[in-house]
Amino acid sequence: MVQDKFDYIIIGAGAAGLMLAAAMDQDPFFASKKILLLEKQTTRTNDRTWSYWEKGSGLYDSLLTRQWEEIKFKGVNQVLIKNIQPYSYKTLRGQDFYTYHYQKLEESNIVRLRHEAVLSMEESENLVVVRTAAQTYTGSYVFNSHFTPPSPKEEKKHPLIQQHFVGWFIRAEKPIFQENVATFMDFSVPQKSNTRFMYVLPFSEHEGLVEYTLFSKDLLEFSEYEDGIEKYISEDLGCDSFEILEKEKGSIPMTAYNFYRRNTERVCHIGSAGGWTKPSTGFTFANSMKMTQRLIRLLKEGVSFTRLKQHSRHHFYDTLLLDILSKKNHLGRSIFEAMFKKRSPQMILAFLEEGTTVWQELAIIWACPKKPFLSALFKRLF
Ligand SMILES: Cc1cc2nc3c(=O)[nH]c(=O)nc-3n(C[C@H](O)[C@H](O)[C@H](O)COP(=O)(O)OP(=O)(O)OC[C@H]3O[C@@H](n4cnc5c(N)ncnc54)[C@H](O)[C@@H]3O)c2cc1C
């Protein structure tokens, strides 16, 4: 077997792996480095749609399918349509993201992309050995985006639930979508003792993504998500004649487990594998852009990966919410409803992207039902 030596090896050319490879490729600091990007999938499909909020213009604006300045929240007793400026809610297709980055990497002098699945990784004092079926590579440092969930022992301290969903991209015969308003959460669907909501992204009056979503422990039969979507399109959107253009499904781990503790001096976990997924929402994309920049700074300053921690105050709030949802899953609707009723969407979005002051955070928590949070806090402290 040939041994090929690299300065950096990135495992996985998904969201985080491609963001990191691109950031290194564009930064003169890495101009003399040799970087290997290993991806097990040989072809890329439009396997996901990424949405995120951002103030003003951003890195991926040229790839956006659509952006909205208004979002809708629907609970049992209220329908709120709110302007979120200076934020916009942005969405892009996975396929466009992969194509954009793959084309850029073809021109790169320092990053080499190879389609091989990593089978094992072994760290020693000076290097990391990475094995695929075809090759053995060595890297001074490895960035790993291959996700492995917390073990049952680790999970005991931090409960794991899933954000799981199925979405249909549809084209309706009549205009059924309010084109300028993205439905962030519509809790009017039966909760069945869970936290269940619809998520709707309108691309035009006739076309949109309609997604049946849960924050809960157990996945459903595929037909249950689809029955939920069909019922919503028929009863809530008032449409019986439509075509399904594409489908997407996903299950995003929601846990406050400290993934960064898996980092060592030579191996850094990135993306969902590194805890870059916001535990209480499943949103990962925008945070991955920020964490990539932090990681680049850290590499330039020669600081250890073990310092790449998440924000501790916010981590604690996420822990409390997940404690509540894992024990009393039906409470999600009342928590989100109270929050959206009493606080501005700008404050909530800033809170969810961990950009608030302590006072704003207390104001958000104060808006939520107090008993479950106090009980979760009490259990965590004692
Ligand atoms: C359908 C779907 C929709 C989502 N929508 C949103 C959204 O709207 N907004 C948001 O913020 N987040 C969203 N997420 C969550 C999150 O942004 C994505 O999961 C995101 O892709 C995570 O990035 P990642 O780099 O950690 O993982 P991935 O993008 O999954 O990348 C990991 C890569 O590693 C490769 N790989 C795995 N094992 C190996 C191996 N052994 N060897 C080589 N390669 C390997 C995989 O093939 C993959 O390409 C969504 C997730 C899904 C599944």
Side-chain angles (χ1 to χ4, degrees):
M1 288 235 182
V2 187
Q3 281 230 357
D4 231 343
K5 279 180 86 176
F6 290 87
D7 295 292
Y8 304 114
I9 298 179
I10 303 172
I11 302 174
L18 286 170
M19 284 179 192
L20 181 61
M24 286 176 160
D25 190 40
Q26 283 155 23
D27 192 319
F29 177 84
F30 300 96
S32 62
K33 304 288 184 200
K34 226 178 134 191
I35 302 163
L36 174 67
L37 176 57
L38 290 169
E39 169 54 51
K40 68 175 181 182
Q41 295 185 53
T42 45
T43 51
R44 302 262 34 170
T45 55
N46 189 39
D47 60 354
R48 60 202 65 188
T49 315
W50 278 299
S51 303
Y52 55 101
W53 57 92
E54 198 170 41
K55 280 183 188 166
S57 56
L59 195 58
Y60 292 109
D61 280 6
S62 62
L63 302 183
L64 296 181
T65 315
R66 178 95 212 194
Q67 54 182 313
W68 301 267
E69 265 82 51
E70 285 184 297
I71 60 165
K72 178 168 161 182
F73 177 91
K74 193 168 172 194
V76 188
N77 303 314
Q78 57 176 342
V79 184
L80 301 169
I81 295 181
K82 300 252 182 160
N83 192 296
I84 57 169
Q85 280 172 320
Y87 289 105
S88 333
Y89 194 59
K90 304 180 174 185
T91 195
L92 57 88
R93 286 160 47 89
Q95 183 75 72
D96 295 336
F97 177 86
Y98 300 131
T99 306
Y100 168 80
H101 278 297
Y102 276 29
Q103 277 172 359
K104 288 247 176 216
L105 289 180
E106 270 177 29
E107 296 154 20
S108 171
N109 294 321
I110 60 165
V111 185
R112 201 182 308 165
L113 170 64
R114 285 197 185 154
H115 293 283
E116 294 172 40
V118 171
L119 304 177
S120 72
M121 195 169 61
E122 213 175 291
E123 184 177 354
S124 64
E125 201 185 329
N126 299 318
L127 51 84
V128 188
V129 178
V130 174
R131 289 195 176 82
T132 68
Q135 285 271 20
T136 299
Y137 301 103
T138 60
S140 302
Y141 299 97
V142 168
F143 303 96
N144 182 20
S145 69
H146 167 67
F147 180 81
T148 33
S151 66
K153 196 174 148 214
E154 292 164 334
E155 210 184 302
K156 262 193 185 154
K157 219 169 158 201
H158 291 292
L160 171 71
I161 67 169
Q162 302 287 331
Q163 182 193 136
H164 47 116
F165 50 88
V166 170
W168 286 358
F169 292 84
I170 63 163
R171 184 184 298 128
E173 208 170 271
K174 58 178 189 177
I176 56 165
F177 294 112
Q178 207 175 340
E179 206 180 337
N180 297 324
V181 184
T183 301
F184 209 55
M185 288 174 143
D186 180 344
F187 277 106
S188 61
V189 296
Q191 296 294 288
K192 301 183 184 174
S193 306
N194 292 131
T195 298
R196 300 183 183 220
F197 60 91
M198 298 302 298
Y199 171 74
V200 182
L201 298 182
F203 302 119
S204 70
E205 287 186 331
H206 291 264
E207 283 188 25
L209 166 68
V210 183
E211 207 151 82
Y212 189 81
T213 309
L214 290 92
F215 290 172
S216 72
K217 269 194 181 135
D218 302 314
L219 305 193
L220 307 177
E221 290 294 327
F222 193 71
S223 58
E224 196 176 339
Y225 303 94
E226 298 217 301
D227 291 346
I229 301 173
E230 201 159 8
K231 194 163 180 282
Y232 187 80
I233 296 172
S234 161
E235 293 176 11
D236 292 74
L237 301 179
C239 173
D240 289 315
S241 180
F242 63 90
E243 184 188 347
I244 303 172
L245 305 173
E246 251 181 285
K247 292 184 183 181
E248 79 165 13
K249 66 175 180 157
S251 173
I252 307 170
M254 299 169 76
T255 169
Y257 168 69
N258 290 308
F259 285 92
Y260 74 87
R261 291 215 173 119
R262 292 178 174 176
N263 291 350
T264 63
E265 291 303 321
R266 299 205 166 265
V267 178
C268 178
H269 295 82
I270 60 170
S272 295
W276 295 5
T277 297
K278 173 80 175 158
S280 55
T281 63
F283 280 102
T284 317
F285 192 82
N287 195 37
S288 295
M289 286 194 261
K290 286 183 199 154
M291 292 300 286
T292 300
Q293 290 314 316
R294 268 184 71 186
L295 185 50
I296 292 284
R297 276 201 301 276
L298 208 110
L299 284 167
K300 287 168 142 183
E301 289 163 10
V303 179
S304 165
F305 300 139
T306 52
R307 302 283 296 277
L308 201 67
K309 290 181 188 170
Q310 300 288 320
H311 196 300
S312 55
R313 260 189 353 253
H314 285 276
H315 186 262
F316 190 63
Y317 309 141
D318 287 338
T319 302
L320 293 185
L321 183 67
L322 291 179
D323 282 353
I324 296 169
L325 294 184
S326 66
K327 297 239 164 48
K328 297 186 173 171
N329 196 237
H330 63 284
L331 289 179
R333 175 166 72 182
S334 58
I335 292 171
F336 285 105
E337 187 159 5
M339 204 190 281
F340 274 92
K341 187 175 173 193
K342 295 180 189 160
R343 298 294 173 251
S344 74
Q346 286 85 351
M347 193 196 270
I348 296 169
L349 295 180
F351 177 67
L352 296 179
E353 66 175 4
E354 307 187 352
T356 34
T357 61
V358 180
W359 297 113
Q360 288 172 317
E361 288 148 25
L362 290 175
I364 296 256
I365 295 166
W366 194 250
C368 296
K370 317 251 169 339
K371 209 173 143 202
F373 276 93
L374 286 173
S375 157
L377 177 67
F378 189 78
K379 284 190 185 129
R380 276 280 153 193
L381 294 180
F382 304 104

